[in-house]
Amino acid sequence: MLKPNTTFLVVEDNELDVEKIIRGFKRLDIPNPVVTAADGYAALDILRGTGGKSRLNPPYIIFLDLNMPRMNGLEFLEALRNDSSIADAPVFVLTTSDRQADVTAAYRFNVCGYFVKPVAMSAMSDALATLKAYWNLSEFPDGAVFS
């Protein structure tokens, strides 16, 4: 079950999409804190506590867009998985890309799920409700990310 102190890190450059996710959480009565980063570099700074950012302490779950400036989602995943201090972070891809090459590449970096962003708010709520059901039904191990 998702712990109430689990923070969501939303790595997304589109402010409208960030707002849709936050509104979706509220509609589904998901009260967990949300931290945002506009690209992969900013997200890594938050996770590592570098670049003048405070370190995001576990437990957390990452929502990741793939199409971002500076460092895109796949580049972020590669850097994340190569950093032993944050490599086991759970990541869900939430992107507009339905390209099979992107889906395959993301799963090679051990993402928990890959979701193509819906345009309508009702469809976004459905996608987030599916994720909420997943978290509520899944058992997660004790450890660095889920402690």
Side-chain angles (χ1 to χ4, degrees), residues 32-75:
N32 299 68
V34 177
V35 174
T36 62
D39 62 39
Y41 286 118
L44 289 171
D45 282 343
I46 290 168
L47 293 169
R48 294 172 175 156
T50 58
K53 302 287 185 185
S54 296
R55 183 176 179 268
L56 180 62
N57 291 316
Y60 49 78
I61 296 173
I62 301 169
F63 279 106
L64 178 65
D65 184 25
L66 293 186
N67 304 311
M68 296 179 293
R70 295 194 326 144
M71 176 185 270
N72 70 37
L74 293 174
E75 293 165 335

mmCIF file of all heavy atoms in Angstrom, residues 32-75:
data_model
loop_
_atom_site.group_PDB
_atom_site.id
_atom_site.type_symbol
_atom_site.label_atom_id
_atom_site.label_comp_id
_atom_site.label_asym_id
_atom_site.label_seq_id
_atom_site.Cartn_x
_atom_site.Cartn_y
_atom_site.Cartn_z
ATOM 1 N N ASN A 32 -0.842 12.869 -1.043
ATOM 2 C CA ASN A 32 0.614 12.856 -0.943
ATOM 3 C C ASN A 32 1.231 14.135 -1.503
ATOM 4 O O ASN A 32 0.714 14.719 -2.453
ATOM 5 C CB ASN A 32 1.175 11.648 -1.689
ATOM 6 C CG ASN A 32 0.669 10.357 -1.108
ATOM 7 O OD1 ASN A 32 -0.514 10.050 -1.219
ATOM 8 N ND2 ASN A 32 1.538 9.599 -0.482
ATOM 9 N N PRO A 33 2.373 14.546 -0.936
ATOM 10 C CA PRO A 33 3.050 15.732 -1.439
ATOM 11 C C PRO A 33 3.566 15.519 -2.865
ATOM 12 O O PRO A 33 3.906 14.392 -3.251
ATOM 13 C CB PRO A 33 4.212 15.939 -0.473
ATOM 14 C CG PRO A 33 4.218 14.799 0.463
ATOM 15 C CD PRO A 33 3.036 13.941 0.202
ATOM 16 N N VAL A 34 3.615 16.609 -3.627
ATOM 17 C CA VAL A 34 4.105 16.581 -5.007
ATOM 18 C C VAL A 34 5.234 17.595 -5.140
ATOM 19 O O VAL A 34 5.095 18.743 -4.733
ATOM 20 C CB VAL A 34 2.979 16.918 -6.010
ATOM 21 C CG1 VAL A 34 3.519 16.960 -7.436
ATOM 22 C CG2 VAL A 34 1.830 15.930 -5.898
ATOM 23 N N VAL A 35 6.349 17.138 -5.705
ATOM 24 C CA VAL A 35 7.487 17.989 -6.020
ATOM 25 C C VAL A 35 7.635 17.940 -7.537
ATOM 26 O O VAL A 35 7.445 16.878 -8.142
ATOM 27 C CB VAL A 35 8.774 17.480 -5.328
ATOM 28 C CG1 VAL A 35 9.995 18.270 -5.767
ATOM 29 C CG2 VAL A 35 8.609 17.513 -3.819
ATOM 30 N N THR A 36 7.974 19.069 -8.160
ATOM 31 C CA THR A 36 8.089 19.091 -9.618
ATOM 32 C C THR A 36 9.493 19.486 -10.058
ATOM 33 O O THR A 36 10.206 20.209 -9.362
ATOM 34 C CB THR A 36 7.071 20.061 -10.244
ATOM 35 O OG1 THR A 36 7.339 21.385 -9.787
ATOM 36 C CG2 THR A 36 5.648 19.667 -9.893
ATOM 37 N N ALA A 37 9.859 18.976 -11.234
ATOM 38 C CA ALA A 37 11.120 19.326 -11.883
ATOM 39 C C ALA A 37 10.834 19.470 -13.372
ATOM 40 O O ALA A 37 10.105 18.661 -13.949
ATOM 41 C CB ALA A 37 12.169 18.243 -11.653
ATOM 42 N N ALA A 38 11.399 20.489 -14.001
ATOM 43 C CA ALA A 38 11.107 20.787 -15.403
ATOM 44 C C ALA A 38 11.924 19.966 -16.395
ATOM 45 O O ALA A 38 11.627 19.975 -17.591
ATOM 46 C CB ALA A 38 11.309 22.276 -15.683
ATOM 47 N N ASP A 39 12.939 19.265 -15.925
ATOM 48 C CA ASP A 39 13.733 18.406 -16.814
ATOM 49 C C ASP A 39 14.548 17.434 -15.982
ATOM 50 O O ASP A 39 14.515 17.465 -14.748
ATOM 51 C CB ASP A 39 14.624 19.235 -17.752
ATOM 52 C CG ASP A 39 15.654 20.087 -17.029
ATOM 53 O OD1 ASP A 39 16.243 19.627 -16.024
ATOM 54 O OD2 ASP A 39 15.892 21.222 -17.466
ATOM 55 N N GLY A 40 15.282 16.573 -16.667
ATOM 56 C CA GLY A 40 16.052 15.542 -15.981
ATOM 57 C C GLY A 40 17.148 16.080 -15.080
ATOM 58 O O GLY A 40 17.392 15.534 -14.003
ATOM 59 N N TYR A 41 17.817 17.154 -15.498
ATOM 60 C CA TYR A 41 18.867 17.721 -14.659
ATOM 61 C C TYR A 41 18.293 18.219 -13.332
ATOM 62 O O TYR A 41 18.860 17.963 -12.268
ATOM 63 C CB TYR A 41 19.576 18.887 -15.362
ATOM 64 C CG TYR A 41 20.500 18.477 -16.471
ATOM 65 C CD1 TYR A 41 20.273 18.895 -17.772
ATOM 66 C CD2 TYR A 41 21.616 17.670 -16.218
ATOM 67 C CE1 TYR A 41 21.129 18.533 -18.806
ATOM 68 C CE2 TYR A 41 22.481 17.300 -17.239
ATOM 69 C CZ TYR A 41 22.225 17.732 -18.538
ATOM 70 O OH TYR A 41 23.076 17.362 -19.549
ATOM 71 N N ALA A 42 17.176 18.924 -13.408
ATOM 72 C CA ALA A 42 16.539 19.439 -12.191
ATOM 73 C C ALA A 42 16.093 18.284 -11.288
ATOM 74 O O ALA A 42 16.234 18.347 -10.064
ATOM 75 C CB ALA A 42 15.362 20.338 -12.547
ATOM 76 N N ALA A 43 15.571 17.219 -11.883
ATOM 77 C CA ALA A 43 15.125 16.062 -11.103
ATOM 78 C C ALA A 43 16.308 15.391 -10.398
ATOM 79 O O ALA A 43 16.210 15.016 -9.224
ATOM 80 C CB ALA A 43 14.405 15.063 -12.001
ATOM 81 N N LEU A 44 17.418 15.243 -11.101
ATOM 82 C CA LEU A 44 18.603 14.640 -10.470
ATOM 83 C C LEU A 44 19.110 15.511 -9.324
ATOM 84 O O LEU A 44 19.512 14.984 -8.282
ATOM 85 C CB LEU A 44 19.701 14.408 -11.507
ATOM 86 C CG LEU A 44 19.427 13.293 -12.514
ATOM 87 C CD1 LEU A 44 20.472 13.293 -13.620
ATOM 88 C CD2 LEU A 44 19.350 11.931 -11.837
ATOM 89 N N ASP A 45 19.079 16.831 -9.496
ATOM 90 C CA ASP A 45 19.480 17.721 -8.407
ATOM 91 C C ASP A 45 18.593 17.515 -7.191
ATOM 92 O O ASP A 45 19.074 17.490 -6.054
ATOM 93 C CB ASP A 45 19.422 19.189 -8.849
ATOM 94 C CG ASP A 45 20.615 19.606 -9.693
ATOM 95 O OD1 ASP A 45 21.652 18.900 -9.683
ATOM 96 O OD2 ASP A 45 20.519 20.651 -10.368
ATOM 97 N N ILE A 46 17.287 17.360 -7.404
ATOM 98 C CA ILE A 46 16.347 17.144 -6.296
ATOM 99 C C ILE A 46 16.615 15.803 -5.618
ATOM 100 O O ILE A 46 16.622 15.704 -4.396
ATOM 101 C CB ILE A 46 14.898 17.237 -6.808
ATOM 102 C CG1 ILE A 46 14.576 18.689 -7.187
ATOM 103 C CG2 ILE A 46 13.911 16.696 -5.787
ATOM 104 C CD1 ILE A 46 13.290 18.857 -7.972
ATOM 105 N N LEU A 47 16.852 14.772 -6.404
ATOM 106 C CA LEU A 47 17.079 13.443 -5.839
ATOM 107 C C LEU A 47 18.425 13.343 -5.109
ATOM 108 O O LEU A 47 18.542 12.624 -4.123
ATOM 109 C CB LEU A 47 17.002 12.384 -6.937
ATOM 110 C CG LEU A 47 15.620 12.186 -7.553
ATOM 111 C CD1 LEU A 47 15.713 11.321 -8.800
ATOM 112 C CD2 LEU A 47 14.662 11.568 -6.538
ATOM 113 N N ARG A 48 19.409 14.060 -5.613
ATOM 114 C CA ARG A 48 20.755 13.997 -5.019
ATOM 115 C C ARG A 48 21.006 15.077 -3.970
ATOM 116 O O ARG A 48 21.984 14.998 -3.219
ATOM 117 C CB ARG A 48 21.798 14.136 -6.125
ATOM 118 C CG ARG A 48 21.817 12.991 -7.096
ATOM 119 C CD ARG A 48 22.729 13.293 -8.267
ATOM 120 N NE ARG A 48 22.860 12.164 -9.167
ATOM 121 C CZ ARG A 48 23.190 12.285 -10.453
ATOM 122 N NH1 ARG A 48 23.435 13.475 -10.979
ATOM 123 N NH2 ARG A 48 23.284 11.205 -11.210
ATOM 124 N N GLY A 49 20.196 16.122 -3.977
ATOM 125 C CA GLY A 49 20.444 17.256 -3.095
ATOM 126 C C GLY A 49 21.610 18.097 -3.569
ATOM 127 O O GLY A 49 22.389 18.609 -2.771
ATOM 128 N N THR A 50 21.715 18.271 -4.888
ATOM 129 C CA THR A 50 22.787 19.064 -5.480
ATOM 130 C C THR A 50 22.188 20.277 -6.190
ATOM 131 O O THR A 50 20.975 20.425 -6.259
ATOM 132 C CB THR A 50 23.599 18.219 -6.484
ATOM 133 O OG1 THR A 50 22.720 17.708 -7.500
ATOM 134 C CG2 THR A 50 24.302 17.062 -5.809
ATOM 135 N N GLY A 51 23.061 21.138 -6.718
ATOM 136 C CA GLY A 51 22.588 22.294 -7.487
ATOM 137 C C GLY A 51 21.748 23.259 -6.665
ATOM 138 O O GLY A 51 20.858 23.921 -7.189
ATOM 139 N N GLY A 52 22.013 23.305 -5.366
ATOM 140 C CA GLY A 52 21.258 24.206 -4.512
ATOM 141 C C GLY A 52 19.878 23.699 -4.114
ATOM 142 O O GLY A 52 19.104 24.411 -3.487
ATOM 143 N N LYS A 53 19.557 22.462 -4.465
ATOM 144 C CA LYS A 53 18.253 21.871 -4.124
ATOM 145 C C LYS A 53 18.371 21.045 -2.851
ATOM 146 O O LYS A 53 19.393 20.407 -2.605
ATOM 147 C CB LYS A 53 17.762 20.956 -5.251
ATOM 148 C CG LYS A 53 17.628 21.615 -6.602
ATOM 149 C CD LYS A 53 16.435 22.523 -6.641
ATOM 150 C CE LYS A 53 16.265 23.060 -8.050
ATOM 151 N NZ LYS A 53 15.219 24.022 -8.152
ATOM 152 N N SER A 54 17.298 21.026 -2.085
ATOM 153 C CA SER A 54 17.228 20.126 -0.936
ATOM 154 C C SER A 54 16.998 18.714 -1.434
ATOM 155 O O SER A 54 16.242 18.504 -2.390
ATOM 156 C CB SER A 54 16.075 20.528 -0.016
ATOM 157 O OG SER A 54 16.302 21.797 0.515
ATOM 158 N N ARG A 55 17.631 17.746 -0.797
ATOM 159 C CA ARG A 55 17.495 16.347 -1.199
ATOM 160 C C ARG A 55 16.102 15.835 -0.871
ATOM 161 O O ARG A 55 15.593 16.037 0.232
ATOM 162 C CB ARG A 55 18.534 15.486 -0.488
ATOM 163 C CG ARG A 55 18.499 14.031 -0.914
ATOM 164 C CD ARG A 55 19.626 13.253 -0.226
ATOM 165 N NE ARG A 55 19.570 11.871 -0.611
ATOM 166 C CZ ARG A 55 18.899 10.940 0.069
ATOM 167 N NH1 ARG A 55 18.234 11.265 1.160
ATOM 168 N NH2 ARG A 55 18.884 9.700 -0.342
ATOM 169 N N LEU A 56 15.484 15.169 -1.833
ATOM 170 C CA LEU A 56 14.185 14.541 -1.621
ATOM 171 C C LEU A 56 14.425 13.212 -0.923
ATOM 172 O O LEU A 56 15.096 12.324 -1.458
ATOM 173 C CB LEU A 56 13.474 14.311 -2.953
ATOM 174 C CG LEU A 56 12.092 13.663 -2.883
ATOM 175 C CD1 LEU A 56 11.127 14.545 -2.102
ATOM 176 C CD2 LEU A 56 11.556 13.413 -4.284
ATOM 177 N N ASN A 57 13.900 13.087 0.269
ATOM 178 C CA ASN A 57 14.099 11.864 1.045
ATOM 179 C C ASN A 57 13.057 10.827 0.675
ATOM 180 O O ASN A 57 11.903 11.163 0.394
ATOM 181 C CB ASN A 57 14.032 12.163 2.541
ATOM 182 C CG ASN A 57 15.215 12.980 2.991
ATOM 183 O OD1 ASN A 57 16.349 12.718 2.619
ATOM 184 N ND2 ASN A 57 14.962 14.004 3.780
ATOM 185 N N PRO A 58 13.445 9.550 0.682
ATOM 186 C CA PRO A 58 12.483 8.490 0.421
ATOM 187 C C PRO A 58 11.458 8.404 1.535
ATOM 188 O O PRO A 58 11.731 8.883 2.643
ATOM 189 C CB PRO A 58 13.350 7.232 0.358
ATOM 190 C CG PRO A 58 14.693 7.611 0.848
ATOM 191 C CD PRO A 58 14.778 9.098 0.939
ATOM 192 N N PRO A 59 10.323 7.835 1.259
ATOM 193 C CA PRO A 59 9.941 7.175 0.001
ATOM 194 C C PRO A 59 9.385 8.164 -1.026
ATOM 195 O O PRO A 59 8.773 9.170 -0.672
ATOM 196 C CB PRO A 59 8.850 6.203 0.447
ATOM 197 C CG PRO A 59 8.222 6.860 1.638
ATOM 198 C CD PRO A 59 9.330 7.622 2.317
ATOM 199 N N TYR A 60 9.627 7.870 -2.295
ATOM 200 C CA TYR A 60 9.104 8.684 -3.383
ATOM 201 C C TYR A 60 8.864 7.817 -4.606
ATOM 202 O O TYR A 60 9.414 6.723 -4.737
ATOM 203 C CB TYR A 60 10.038 9.849 -3.732
ATOM 204 C CG TYR A 60 11.488 9.461 -3.930
ATOM 205 C CD1 TYR A 60 11.918 8.869 -5.114
ATOM 206 C CD2 TYR A 60 12.427 9.695 -2.934
ATOM 207 C CE1 TYR A 60 13.247 8.517 -5.286
ATOM 208 C CE2 TYR A 60 13.755 9.357 -3.099
ATOM 209 C CZ TYR A 60 14.159 8.770 -4.279
ATOM 210 O OH TYR A 60 15.480 8.420 -4.448
ATOM 211 N N ILE A 61 8.004 8.337 -5.464
ATOM 212 C CA ILE A 61 7.692 7.702 -6.748
ATOM 213 C C ILE A 61 7.824 8.783 -7.806
ATOM 214 O O ILE A 61 7.356 9.913 -7.612
ATOM 215 C CB ILE A 61 6.269 7.108 -6.756
ATOM 216 C CG1 ILE A 61 6.158 5.971 -5.733
ATOM 217 C CG2 ILE A 61 5.888 6.617 -8.160
ATOM 218 C CD1 ILE A 61 4.756 5.426 -5.541
ATOM 219 N N ILE A 62 8.458 8.449 -8.914
ATOM 220 C CA ILE A 62 8.722 9.421 -9.968
ATOM 221 C C ILE A 62 7.760 9.222 -11.134
ATOM 222 O O ILE A 62 7.589 8.105 -11.619
ATOM 223 C CB ILE A 62 10.176 9.289 -10.465
ATOM 224 C CG1 ILE A 62 11.150 9.521 -9.307
ATOM 225 C CG2 ILE A 62 10.445 10.255 -11.625
ATOM 226 C CD1 ILE A 62 12.594 9.160 -9.614
ATOM 227 N N PHE A 63 7.134 10.321 -11.561
ATOM 228 C CA PHE A 63 6.384 10.375 -12.818
ATOM 229 C C PHE A 63 7.278 11.094 -13.809
ATOM 230 O O PHE A 63 7.725 12.211 -13.542
ATOM 231 C CB PHE A 63 5.093 11.191 -12.666
ATOM 232 C CG PHE A 63 3.969 10.441 -12.056
ATOM 233 C CD1 PHE A 63 3.584 10.681 -10.754
ATOM 234 C CD2 PHE A 63 3.272 9.508 -12.797
ATOM 235 C CE1 PHE A 63 2.533 10.001 -10.186
ATOM 236 C CE2 PHE A 63 2.217 8.815 -12.238
ATOM 237 C CZ PHE A 63 1.844 9.059 -10.927
ATOM 238 N N LEU A 64 7.526 10.494 -14.957
ATOM 239 C CA LEU A 64 8.523 11.021 -15.882
ATOM 240 C C LEU A 64 7.972 11.207 -17.288
ATOM 241 O O LEU A 64 7.444 10.270 -17.889
ATOM 242 C CB LEU A 64 9.709 10.040 -15.943
ATOM 243 C CG LEU A 64 10.842 10.372 -16.897
ATOM 244 C CD1 LEU A 64 11.563 11.655 -16.471
ATOM 245 C CD2 LEU A 64 11.815 9.201 -16.966
ATOM 246 N N ASP A 65 8.114 12.422 -17.790
ATOM 247 C CA ASP A 65 7.852 12.695 -19.203
ATOM 248 C C ASP A 65 9.134 12.370 -19.965
ATOM 249 O O ASP A 65 10.226 12.462 -19.407
ATOM 250 C CB ASP A 65 7.476 14.167 -19.378
ATOM 251 C CG ASP A 65 7.100 14.522 -20.803
ATOM 252 O OD1 ASP A 65 6.671 13.622 -21.564
ATOM 253 O OD2 ASP A 65 7.214 15.706 -21.175
ATOM 254 N N LEU A 66 9.004 11.999 -21.221
ATOM 255 C CA LEU A 66 10.202 11.712 -22.013
ATOM 256 C C LEU A 66 10.672 12.918 -22.817
ATOM 257 O O LEU A 66 11.865 13.108 -23.016
ATOM 258 C CB LEU A 66 9.953 10.539 -22.975
ATOM 259 C CG LEU A 66 9.726 9.179 -22.334
ATOM 260 C CD1 LEU A 66 9.652 8.107 -23.416
ATOM 261 C CD2 LEU A 66 10.787 8.828 -21.310
ATOM 262 N N ASN A 67 9.750 13.714 -23.306
ATOM 263 C CA ASN A 67 10.083 14.818 -24.204
ATOM 264 C C ASN A 67 10.255 16.111 -23.424
ATOM 265 O O ASN A 67 9.298 16.830 -23.174
ATOM 266 C CB ASN A 67 8.982 14.984 -25.256
ATOM 267 C CG ASN A 67 8.757 13.709 -26.021
ATOM 268 O OD1 ASN A 67 9.700 13.092 -26.496
ATOM 269 N ND2 ASN A 67 7.518 13.282 -26.125
ATOM 270 N N MET A 68 11.512 16.379 -23.027
ATOM 271 C CA MET A 68 11.828 17.572 -22.249
ATOM 272 C C MET A 68 13.114 18.193 -22.773
ATOM 273 O O MET A 68 13.929 17.506 -23.382
ATOM 274 C CB MET A 68 12.014 17.208 -20.771
ATOM 275 C CG MET A 68 10.786 16.664 -20.099
ATOM 276 S SD MET A 68 11.112 16.236 -18.376
ATOM 277 C CE MET A 68 12.258 14.860 -18.545
ATOM 278 N N PRO A 69 13.305 19.484 -22.497
ATOM 279 C CA PRO A 69 14.552 20.143 -22.916
ATOM 280 C C PRO A 69 15.722 19.736 -22.022
ATOM 281 O O PRO A 69 15.532 19.098 -20.992
ATOM 282 C CB PRO A 69 14.220 21.630 -22.731
ATOM 283 C CG PRO A 69 13.199 21.656 -21.644
ATOM 284 C CD PRO A 69 12.383 20.392 -21.830
ATOM 285 N N ARG A 70 16.880 20.124 -22.416
ATOM 286 C CA ARG A 70 18.148 19.896 -21.707
ATOM 287 C C ARG A 70 18.454 18.423 -21.512
ATOM 288 O O ARG A 70 19.332 17.889 -22.161
ATOM 289 C CB ARG A 70 18.197 20.628 -20.364
ATOM 290 C CG ARG A 70 18.183 22.130 -20.494
ATOM 291 C CD ARG A 70 18.563 22.909 -19.257
ATOM 292 N NE ARG A 70 18.173 22.350 -17.999
ATOM 293 C CZ ARG A 70 18.926 22.448 -16.898
ATOM 294 N NH1 ARG A 70 20.091 23.049 -16.933
ATOM 295 N NH2 ARG A 70 18.497 21.950 -15.754
ATOM 296 N N MET A 71 17.760 17.730 -20.643
ATOM 297 C CA MET A 71 17.950 16.292 -20.433
ATOM 298 C C MET A 71 16.582 15.638 -20.542
ATOM 299 O O MET A 71 15.713 15.860 -19.709
ATOM 300 C CB MET A 71 18.561 15.995 -19.059
ATOM 301 C CG MET A 71 18.674 14.499 -18.767
ATOM 302 S SD MET A 71 19.255 14.115 -17.097
ATOM 303 C CE MET A 71 21.023 14.069 -17.388
ATOM 304 N N ASN A 72 16.415 14.817 -21.568
ATOM 305 C CA ASN A 72 15.109 14.180 -21.764
ATOM 306 C C ASN A 72 14.930 12.996 -20.806
ATOM 307 O O ASN A 72 15.824 12.650 -20.047
ATOM 308 C CB ASN A 72 14.902 13.785 -23.234
ATOM 309 C CG ASN A 72 15.788 12.642 -23.674
ATOM 310 O OD1 ASN A 72 16.063 11.694 -22.927
ATOM 311 N ND2 ASN A 72 16.253 12.713 -24.912
ATOM 312 N N GLY A 73 13.768 12.384 -20.871
ATOM 313 C CA GLY A 73 13.431 11.317 -19.938
ATOM 314 C C GLY A 73 14.321 10.092 -20.036
ATOM 315 O O GLY A 73 14.677 9.497 -19.019
ATOM 316 N N LEU A 74 14.679 9.693 -21.241
ATOM 317 C CA LEU A 74 15.539 8.516 -21.385
ATOM 318 C C LEU A 74 16.952 8.793 -20.874
ATOM 319 O O LEU A 74 17.570 7.931 -20.238
ATOM 320 C CB LEU A 74 15.560 8.037 -22.837
ATOM 321 C CG LEU A 74 14.228 7.484 -23.351
ATOM 322 C CD1 LEU A 74 14.311 7.169 -24.837
ATOM 323 C CD2 LEU A 74 13.779 6.263 -22.557
ATOM 324 N N GLU A 75 17.445 9.999 -21.115
ATOM 325 C CA GLU A 75 18.755 10.375 -20.576
ATOM 326 C C GLU A 75 18.705 10.410 -19.039
ATOM 327 O O GLU A 75 19.647 9.977 -18.371
ATOM 328 C CB GLU A 75 19.178 11.739 -21.121
ATOM 329 C CG GLU A 75 19.456 11.728 -22.606
ATOM 330 C CD GLU A 75 19.529 13.117 -23.221
ATOM 331 O OE1 GLU A 75 18.938 14.070 -22.676
ATOM 332 O OE2 GLU A 75 20.186 13.245 -24.278
#
